[in-house]
Amino acid sequence: MGDRKYIILRRGRQIVSLLLHGSRLQSVHVQDEDHAGGILGNIYVARVKNVVKNLNAAFVEIEPGKNCFLDLRDARKPVLLNRNYDGRLLAEDEIIVQVYKEAMKTKPPAVTCKLSLDGKYCVVTAGKAGIAYSAKLPEKIKRRLGEGLENSDFPLGSFSENYGIVIRTNAKELKEDLSPLTREIEELSGRLGDIMQNGIHRTCYSVLLCKTAGYLRKLRDLRADWCEEIITDEKDIYEEIRNYMEENPNFCLPPLRLYTDERLPLAKLYAAETRLKEVLDKKVWLKSGGYLLIEPTEALTVIDVNTGKTVSKKEAEENHFRTNMEAAEEIARQLSLRNLSGIIIIDFIDMENEEYENALAAHLNGLLKQDAVKTRLVDITALGLAEVTRMKTSRPLRELLKNEDRVCI
């Protein structure tokens, strides 16, 4: 497996988690301690401020003065506290909502009435009942899991009749023993039922569910083959993770270690600050000698692929193809690493060979489908520009690390 570590550090008032595969940084998660888990995923009793018919939306308050956007398509069959639902949503209605998207610049957080709870192996939702599988799961794995659930003693039907159950990609880690998955379905279904039942008796602005801190959720989703060890040098973080692991033994997380060598801080040992600065650098070098230039703008992100060296005309086409293929792999990594979203335009090196162009498009498309965040290749224009979109779920890494007042490691 190699030297794969998950390092958790403090950076001023931030908790920073770094997944390292040898000397290569695979992922970064940054959480402001002042806002613990944030509001993403929280469930509230909210008040409808006003309904905007031409937007087919409403603005609701989850606390006095804190407005959120509610698309009315996400408010079918809502749970109302102040009256029986008659097909309409009105101002002053009290309603149970869940935050599914953080505030983005001038846009307020977005909420939905389709409540859900996510675990390591599945997601349980209220509303549309049934069972589904992550699109990222291969058909062979879907069949294996489906047959395993059918042949088990677990009464899956009694849960899927009342809730929507989505089997997550992480479930492919499970082999013959599916008990971690079935226990999670049972636990999340029970919790969601309790939230909805108890919520109708709560007062406006009540918090019905406060999601686990973001860095712990990232730990939960660590795949068994992603790292060998979790390391932190912060005693309180160590204790919090240890308690979390004891409360959730089904997550099968790697061993946890408290680093105690005061002569060489953990951040220095793994050159954490240098690695974070590299993530924000516009230029990213490729092993071939080529490089990427990554330029985020207000409207979109532009990525330019360059060979970085001169080659003979005879060698040029094949060299450009190899560089573009390598660049596609690094671009897919950088999109996830930097949490870039929205519209991304990629200017690959021009190629005249149509087979090379088709191979590059197929390669890039396959890499983007592996992203945990919904990402797709829209088109490759006549000018050879690849148009990519990536869903916005949270702020990009550059915004989280940009604050100059932060205490450096």
Side-chain angles (χ1 to χ4, degrees):
M1 186 185 294
D3 186 21
R4 303 189 175 195
K5 310 289 186 186
Y6 198 76
I7 313 299
I8 303 177
L9 311 156
R10 272 201 174 86
R11 183 180 189 260
R13 293 296 299 167
Q14 292 176 328
I15 296 176
V16 179
S17 306
L18 308 173
L19 177 59
L20 300 171
H21 287 188
S23 61
R24 193 170 177 80
L25 183 59
Q26 293 296 116
S27 72
V28 182
H29 179 260
V30 180
Q31 173 189 310
D32 285 327
E33 283 194 279
D34 297 334
H35 300 93
I39 64 170
L40 189 64
N42 287 3
I43 298 177
Y44 299 87
V45 176
R47 173 169 286 139
V48 178
K49 192 75 173 174
N50 62 310
V51 178
V52 186
K53 291 185 178 179
N54 62 338
L55 292 178
N56 194 34
F59 288 93
V60 304
E61 288 184 327
I62 56 174
E63 60 183 63
K66 190 170 186 64
N67 282 327
C68 295
F69 180 84
L70 172 64
D71 188 323
L72 293 183
R73 290 173 296 183
D74 292 333
R76 294 167 186 163
K77 297 183 180 179
V79 179
L80 294 183
L81 279 67
N82 58 308
R83 64 183 181 88
N84 292 325
Y85 182 60
D86 59 2
R88 300 175 301 159
L89 200 61
L90 306 173
E92 300 303 314
D93 275 345
E94 294 182 4
I95 186 172
I96 298 179
V97 299
Q98 183 171 29
V99 181
Y100 73 90
K101 188 182 290 186
E102 293 180 346
M104 296 283 184
K105 297 179 181 176
T106 59
K107 295 182 180 180
V111 297
T112 179
C113 296
K114 300 173 182 176
L115 310 184
S116 67
L117 296 180
D118 57 320
K120 185 178 178 75
Y121 303 111
C122 71
V123 178
V124 174
T125 63
K128 188 176 180 180
I131 185 164
Y133 294 83
S134 166
K136 295 183 184 297
L137 279 172
E139 288 300 322
K140 185 177 179 180
I141 302 294
K142 290 179 185 179
R143 286 196 299 272
R144 177 174 66 79
L145 293 171
E147 291 171 0
L149 289 170
E150 286 180 11
N151 296 330
S152 70
D153 295 330
F154 182 69
L156 181 63
S158 63
F159 291 95
S160 59
E161 285 176 3
N162 300 305
Y163 298 101
I165 298 168
V166 179
I167 308 302
R168 299 188 63 195
T169 311
N170 287 338
K172 69 181 180 182
E173 299 176 16
L174 303 175
K175 304 304 178 185
E176 293 183 6
D177 182 12
L178 298 184
S179 59
L181 170 60
T182 55
R183 281 198 293 266
E184 197 169 80
I185 292 173
E186 188 172 17
E187 178 195 344
L188 295 180
S189 299
R191 285 177 58 197
L192 188 55
D194 289 343
I195 288 170
M196 296 172 67
Q197 186 62 38
N198 296 334
I200 60 177
H201 304 294
R202 301 288 294 277
T203 59
C204 192
Y205 306 131
S206 293
V207 182
L208 305 182
L209 173 71
C210 213
K211 287 297 280 286
T212 306
Y215 83 93
L216 290 176
R217 295 200 301 273
K218 286 293 180 182
L219 272 181
R220 176 199 67 191
D221 291 336
L222 269 181
R223 276 177 26 196
D225 59 344
W226 276 3
C227 81
E228 301 162 329
E229 189 177 27
I230 303 166
I231 311 172
T232 183
D233 58 352
E234 300 287 345
K235 186 69 183 300
D236 60 328
I237 292 177
Y238 171 82
E239 292 295 339
E240 189 171 13
I241 296 172
R242 193 174 61 126
N243 291 337
Y244 184 69
M245 293 171 78
E246 289 176 354
E247 292 168 4
N248 300 280
N250 295 334
F251 290 175
C252 304
L253 293 172
L256 172 66
R257 176 162 64 94
L258 179 64
Y259 181 85
T260 57
D261 188 347
E262 296 180 358
R263 296 168 299 174
L264 181 62
L266 187 61
K268 295 291 184 184
L269 179 62
Y270 288 98
E273 193 68 18
T274 299
R275 294 177 188 276
L276 292 176
K277 287 177 181 176
E278 288 174 353
V279 173
L280 303 183
D281 200 346
K282 291 182 179 179
K283 181 178 282 191
V284 178
W285 287 99
L286 305 174
K287 289 181 180 179
S288 62
Y291 61 91
L292 310 177
L293 284 177
I294 303 176
E295 294 277 1
T297 70
E298 190 72 21
L300 48 79
T301 299
V302 178
I303 302 177
D304 187 32
V305 182
N306 297 272
T307 58
K309 60 183 179 181
T310 304
V311 294
S312 67
K313 188 175 182 180
K314 184 178 179 180
E315 298 174 319
E317 189 75 357
E318 191 171 337
N319 181 68
H320 291 172
F321 175 64
R322 286 198 302 267
T323 303
N324 280 338
M325 293 291 275
E326 182 187 359
E329 295 177 11
E330 186 60 34
I331 287 167
R333 174 175 170 267
Q334 291 292 330
L335 295 184
S336 176
L337 188 59
R338 300 176 185 230
N339 196 22
L340 299 174
S341 57
I343 300 171
I344 297 123
I345 303 296
I346 306 167
D347 185 7
F348 284 106
I349 304 165
D350 292 337
M351 297 184 297
E352 296 179 3
N353 188 312
E354 188 175 343
E355 289 185 10
Y356 283 171
E357 290 180 348
N358 292 338
L360 174 62
H363 185 51
L364 177 62
N365 192 43
L367 291 164
L368 296 179
K369 286 181 177 179
Q370 297 174 29
D371 198 322
V373 175
K374 187 176 181 180
T375 309
R376 71 187 184 99
L377 174 61
V378 179
D379 191 20
I380 295 184
T381 70
L383 294 175
L385 302 175
E387 298 176 340
V388 172
T389 61
R390 190 169 188 268
M391 183 183 289
K392 292 184 179 180
T393 55
S394 57
R395 289 185 292 162
L397 190 63
R398 69 178 184 277
E399 290 186 12
L400 295 171
L401 296 175
K402 190 170 64 173
N403 194 331
E404 297 297 333
D405 295 331
R406 296 285 180 206
V407 177
C408 292
I409 293 172

